[in-house]
Amino acid sequence: MVALKAGTRPPWVGLGAAVWVQIASGNAYIFPLYSHSLKSILGLNQHQLTMIGVFNDIGENVGLLPGLACDKFPPWIVLLIGSLACFSGYGVLWLAVSRTVQSFPYWSLCLALCVAANSNAWFSTAVLVTNMRNFPLSRGTVAGILKGYVGLSAAVFTEIYSVLLHSSSSNLLLFLALGIPMLCFIMMYFVRPCTPASGEDSVEQGHFLFIQAASIVLGIYLLTTTILSDALSLSTPISYTFVFIMILLLMAPLAIPVKMTLYPMKTSKLGTSDPSIGSSGHLTQEEGNVDKTEPLLTPSSSTSNLGSFRENDDGSEVAMLLAEGEGAVKKKRRPKRGDNFTFGEVVMKADFWLLFLVYFVGVGSGVTVLNNLAQIGIAQGMHDTKILLSLFSFCNFVGRLGGGVVSEHFVRSRTTPRTVWMTLTQIIMIVTYLLFASAMNGTLYIATALIGICFGVQFSVMIPTVSELFGLKNFGLFSNFMALGNPIGAFLFSGLLAGYIYDHEAAKQHGIDRIGSGLSCLGPNCFRLTFLVLAGVCGVGTILSVILTTRIKPVYQMLYSGGSFRLPQSTNH
C-alpha cells in the first residue's frame, strides 16, 4: 500500500463511512418495534417472544467468525457477508409478518432472526477493527464515537419507522432486508485500512471533537423530535423535514475530509509517517518480525514503571532465568499484559475472564431491560412505548460516547484504569433495578435513562481495555469473544428468568393454571422479581470489577506513564 501522510483524508473518509455502517449495525436494538407484531400475528406467549429476542442477541454478538475474517480478508468482504446475512434473515421475517408465506415453524423464525442480527457482528467488526488500527493513538475516542452511533441507531430507526414507514412492522422488516444491504454496498469502497499517524496531532484531536459534538447534536435532536412527535400531531411535511435534517446530521463527519480537500495542510506537524509503520495491514502481518522493523508506537521514554510491573506480573522470573541458564528450560518469554496475545495465551489469563464476567453482568442485565422494554412500559400503564425506546437509545448513546471520552481523559491524565467506570456504572445499575422494581409513579423514564447510560458505558470501556491489555493483533477475535457475554446474559436473564416470571404472573392474573399464548400482564409484579435478581447480579459484578481494576492498575501506570499510550519495549513472544 502506498504510504500516506499522517492524518490525510482516507482515514477520515473511512471514519465518516463507518458512522453510517454503525447506524445500520444497530438494527438488533429495534426488536421492540416489531416484537408486538410477532407476538400478536404469530400467536406467541411472552416466553416464546423473549426466546426469539435471545436469538436476536446471540446473532448480534456471536462474532468469532467476523473477528477471524477481519485478520484474513479486507473489510469489504466482511461487509459483503454481513449484507447477505441481513438480506436473508430479515427477508424471512418479512415473509412471516406480512403473511406472504403462511405458517413458518417457530424454530425457523428464531434462526432467521439470529442470522439477520449476526449481520451486525460483521458490520461492526469490519469498521471497528479497521478504524482502531487506522487511529491507534486514540483507541478510546474512536471506540466511543463508533459505539456511540450504534447507541443512536435505535432512535434513527424509530424516526424512519414512524415517519417513512408509517409505524408498520411489515414495512420495517422489508426496509431492513433491502435498505441496509444497499447502504453497506455503497460504503464498502470507503472503509479500508490506511497508514496510521506516527504521533499525536492537535488537529486530529480537533477533528475528533467535531465528530463528538456532531453526534451529541444528533442525539439531542432525535430525542427532541421523538418527544414532539409523541406530544403533538405534526403534519406530514414537518415530519419529512425532521427526517431530512436527521440525514444531514448523519453526514456531518464527512465534513472533515471535505474540509481537508478544500483546505489541504501544506505542512504536517508530524511530517510523513515512518515507512516502517506501514499500513494497518502491515501492523497485523509484520508483528511477528519486530526484531527487523520498528514498532507501531514509540516506546515510552520513562521505563521506571516497567520493571516493577514485570516483577509483579511474574514473581518466579528469577528462578526461571536460573533454570534457563542451566539448560533445564528452553528460553521462551510468555507475553505480558500490554503485549500481543494469541487466543490460546489470552484464555489462560485471569484478567481476561474477569473482564468477561464484568462485561457479561453489565450488558446481560441491560439487554434484558431492552428486550422487554415494550412489555415493561405496558405493564406500568403506557400505551405507546416508542418514546421509551428512543429515550433508551439516546441515553445508550450518551453512555457509549461519554464512556469513551471520560475514560480516555482519566487514563491519560491520571493513569486511571478504564474498568473503574464499569464499576461505577454497575453500582448505579443496582440502584436503577431497585427503582424499576419499586414501580413508583414517575420513575419509569428516570430508570430507563439511567440503565441506558450504564448499558452504553460497558461497550465503550470494554473495547479499548481489550486492545490495551491483550494487543491489537488479534483484537477482532478477542473483542467478539467478549461480546458473547451479551447473548449469554440475554438467555439467562431475559429468556429464562424474565419471560417465565412474566408468563406466570400473566396466567395468575387471568385465572388460568397454565401459561397461554398472547396473554398480557399488567402491574409491577410482572417484572419485580426479575429486577431484584438483576440488582443482586450487578452486586456480584461490582465486586469482580473492583478486583479486576486493582489487578490491572500497574498495567495502566506502565502504558500511560508518559501521558499518552505507549507499547512495552518488547512485544515479541
Side-chain angles (χ1 to χ4, degrees), residues 134-145:
N134 287 348
F135 298 97
L137 296 173
S138 305
R139 303 181 193 185
T141 303
V142 171
I145 288 172

Side-chain angles (χ1 to χ4, degrees), residues 272-527:
T272 58
S273 54
D274 193 322
S276 66
I277 295 172
S279 67
S280 59
H282 178 90
L283 169 66
T284 58
Q285 295 170 7
E286 298 297 326
E287 283 176 343
N289 193 25
V290 292
D291 57 325
K292 296 181 181 180
T293 61
E294 292 295 321
L296 174 64
L297 301 174
T298 307
S300 172
S301 59
S302 173
T303 57
S304 59
N305 291 326
L306 184 57
S308 60
F309 164 66
R310 298 300 190 205
E311 292 170 3
N312 293 336
D313 193 77
D314 189 0
S316 61
E317 192 165 316
V318 174
M320 180 64 73
L321 289 173
L322 291 174
E324 289 171 356
E326 295 171 0
V329 178
K330 184 178 179 181
K331 184 176 182 179
K332 184 180 179 181
R333 187 180 71 79
R334 293 177 295 172
K336 309 295 183 180
R337 292 170 295 185
D339 291 344
N340 288 299
F341 282 73
T342 65
F343 186 75
E345 291 165 343
V346 82
V347 295
M348 302 303 293
K349 300 296 291 184
D351 295 335
F352 182 80
W353 292 108
L354 280 171
L355 181 59
F356 177 84
L357 290 174
V358 172
Y359 181 74
F360 154 75
V361 168
V363 298
S365 62
V367 79
T368 301
V369 175
L370 177 61
N371 285 352
N372 295 277
L373 196 57
Q375 286 71 35
I376 291 171
I378 293 171
Q380 297 197 25
M382 289 191 67
H383 299 290
D384 186 359
T385 58
K386 291 196 298 291
I387 191 171
L388 278 183
L389 181 60
S390 293
L391 178 62
F392 183 95
S393 175
F394 173 74
C395 294
N396 184 19
F397 153 74
V398 171
R400 290 174 185 239
L401 181 66
V405 172
V406 173
S407 68
E408 189 76 11
H409 170 75
F410 281 94
V411 79
R412 289 173 180 269
S413 62
R414 301 185 182 181
T415 65
T416 303
R418 296 185 193 271
T419 50
V420 164
W421 308 105
M422 299 179 83
T423 307
L424 293 177
T425 51
Q426 291 199 15
I427 292 173
I428 296 173
M429 291 175 89
I430 296 173
V431 178
T432 305
Y433 289 133
L434 295 177
L435 201 60
F436 269 119
S438 70
M440 293 185 295
N441 291 334
T443 60
L444 181 59
Y445 291 115
I446 297 174
T448 301
L450 288 174
I451 209 67
I453 293 173
C454 296
F455 182 68
V457 169
Q458 311 302 311
F459 290 90
S460 60
V461 169
M462 179 275 289
I463 289 170
T465 301
V466 169
S467 72
E468 288 161 343
L469 294 181
F470 310 114
L472 273 173
K473 185 176 182 180
N474 295 299
F475 164 72
L477 178 60
F478 297 162
S479 62
N480 278 298
F481 185 90
M482 287 285 173
L484 292 175
N486 192 316
I488 294 174
F491 173 73
L492 294 176
F493 304 139
S494 182
L496 296 184
L497 178 66
Y500 175 79
I501 292 174
Y502 180 95
D503 283 334
H504 180 75
E505 185 63 28
K508 185 190 300 184
Q509 290 183 6
H510 288 80
I512 59 178
D513 295 331
R514 62 185 183 85
I515 295 173
S517 299
L519 296 180
S520 296
C521 179
L522 299 175
N525 290 333
C526 301
F527 290 97

Side-chain angles (χ1 to χ4, degrees), residues 12-242:
W12 295 101
V13 172
L15 186 60
V19 165
W20 284 78
V21 177
Q22 286 292 76
I23 291 291
S25 72
N27 59 74
Y29 290 112
I30 60 172
F31 179 70
L33 288 181
Y34 58 87
S35 62
H36 62 283
S37 295
L38 291 176
K39 186 174 183 178
S40 59
I41 294 175
L42 304 178
L44 306 178
N45 60 41
Q46 186 65 21
H47 178 69
Q48 290 174 317
L49 184 65
T50 53
M51 286 307 298
I52 290 182
V54 168
F55 277 91
N56 177 67
D57 296 317
I58 291 173
E60 179 193 4
N61 293 282
V62 176
L64 298 181
L65 286 178
L68 291 171
C70 272
D71 292 331
K72 303 294 183 182
F73 303 107
W76 72 266
I77 292 182
V78 182
L79 291 174
L80 176 63
I81 296 172
S83 299
L84 295 176
C86 186
F87 170 77
S88 58
Y90 283 118
V92 170
L93 289 175
W94 174 77
L95 292 174
V97 172
S98 65
R99 293 296 192 179
T100 304
V101 176
Q102 301 288 333
S103 302
F104 269 104
Y106 175 72
W107 65 265
S108 66
L109 298 176
C110 294
L111 181 61
L113 187 54
C114 185
V115 171
N118 191 240
S119 65
N120 299 343
W122 294 90
F123 295 151
S124 185
T125 301
V127 299
L128 185 63
V129 171
T130 301
N131 281 279
M132 290 278 281
R133 290 172 176 170
N134 287 348
F135 298 97
L137 296 173
S138 305
R139 303 181 193 185
T141 303
V142 171
I145 288 172
L146 293 180
K147 285 301 180 181
Y149 274 100
V150 175
L152 283 177
S153 61
V156 172
F157 281 115
T158 301
E159 193 89 6
I160 295 172
Y161 170 77
S162 301
V163 178
L164 301 182
L165 305 178
H166 309 294
S167 299
S168 168
S169 297
S170 176
N171 290 342
L172 175 62
L173 291 170
L174 183 61
F175 173 78
L176 296 177
L178 299 179
I180 291 179
M182 290 175 60
L183 173 65
C184 291
F185 283 144
I186 296 172
M187 296 302 166
M188 283 179 189
Y189 175 76
F190 302 104
V191 179
R192 58 183 179 179
C194 301
T195 303
S198 59
E200 295 187 77
D201 190 348
S202 60
V203 175
E204 179 179 280
Q205 297 306 314
H207 292 160
F208 282 131
L209 185 61
F210 171 79
I211 297 177
Q212 290 165 346
S215 65
I216 292 172
V217 171
L218 175 62
I220 296 173
Y221 174 80
L222 288 170
L223 183 62
T224 303
T225 54
T226 302
I227 294 173
L228 288 176
S229 300
D230 184 68
L232 305 174
S233 180
L234 301 177
S235 64
T236 301
I238 293 178
S239 298
Y240 277 90
T241 302
F242 283 167

